[in-house]
Amino acid sequence: MNELYRYESRQRRTSMILLLNMIVLLAMYLAARSFLPASEESEQLIFWLNIATPLVELCLLLAAIYLWVKNETFRMVVTEDTFEVFDPLSRTFTFSIPAKEIAEIKQTQRAKHDAIKIKLHSGEWFQITQNYHYKLTELYAALAKANPDIRLPESAWRFGRS
């Protein structure tokens, strides 16, 4: 089977991003403690930051350790016959569908949430996760090559209101 597009990302990369987020959070916490002017409001803020920051740091650390140990692979593959997505974090975003069955790809935006949805000729919908750094332009080009009848968005970067 000829692959037209492949994207893979290991969970250790996500783990490293979480560790970087821990460093950024710590820097923001220390900056708040150092640079906020003394007042009753800032004392209340620091009080709550003293509680919330360690909890968030612990959650980020546990998630980073979990992803580092598990180290599964997110995979998105387009072949001449199928479009397959495997997301180890969410079975909702995991699917394998025949490329010829895809009727349309729709990009929508609601409030602060963008969505990329695939509509099949049967009327069934699948959503593509946006948690990874795959290239939409390359994905859409591969899908169009696998099925020239797919209605694609005008731009991979423009999301319409739903």
Side-chain angles (χ1 to χ4, degrees):
M1 219 172 279
N2 188 17
E3 285 186 0
L4 304 173
Y5 177 80
R6 175 179 280 273
Y7 174 83
E8 290 185 346
S9 179
R10 303 287 296 182
Q11 287 181 326
R12 285 198 176 153
R13 178 178 180 189
T14 306
S15 178
M16 295 303 292
I17 291 170
L18 290 177
L19 293 175
L20 179 63
N21 286 337
M22 288 179 65
I23 294 168
V24 170
L25 176 61
L26 183 60
M28 291 171 59
Y29 169 75
L30 294 174
R33 288 189 61 107
S34 299
F35 298 117
L36 282 178
S39 70
E40 187 177 323
E41 292 84 7
S42 64
E43 285 180 28
Q44 283 183 346
L45 176 64
I46 297 299
F47 171 80
W48 288 109
L49 285 176
N50 287 339
I51 295 170
T53 302
L55 290 174
V56 173
E57 289 280 345
L58 179 63
C59 290
L60 288 171
L61 179 63
L62 292 174
I65 291 170
Y66 173 78
L67 293 175
W68 186 269
V69 170
K70 196 168 179 186
N71 197 27
E72 289 189 64
T73 302
F74 171 84
R75 183 176 54 259
M76 183 179 284
V77 179
V78 177
T79 67
E80 293 171 345
D81 300 322
T82 62
F83 176 38
E84 177 183 301
V85 177
F86 175 75
D87 186 347
L89 294 178
S90 173
R91 298 300 177 228
T92 304
F93 296 117
T94 297
F95 56 85
S96 179
I97 53 179
K100 298 293 183 200
E101 291 298 313
I102 301 172
E104 172 183 16
I105 296 180
K106 191 169 189 160
Q107 297 179 155
T108 59
Q109 180 182 38
R110 284 189 205 133
K112 296 179 181 175
H113 175 72
D114 295 341
I116 302 172
K117 294 185 177 182
I118 297 173
K119 182 179 181 183
L120 302 185
H121 291 294
S122 66
E124 192 175 5
W125 288 89
F126 292 90
Q127 187 168 347
I128 302 175
T129 183
Q130 292 180 273
N131 293 338
Y132 299 90
H133 301 286
Y134 55 88
K135 294 182 177 148
L136 280 176
T137 52
E138 292 177 15
L139 173 63
Y140 291 168
L143 287 169
K145 192 172 184 180
N147 180 359
D149 297 328
I150 295 176
R151 286 189 309 273
L152 294 169
E154 287 181 30
S155 169
W157 309 113
R158 208 171 286 138
F159 285 72
R161 298 269 179 210
S162 62

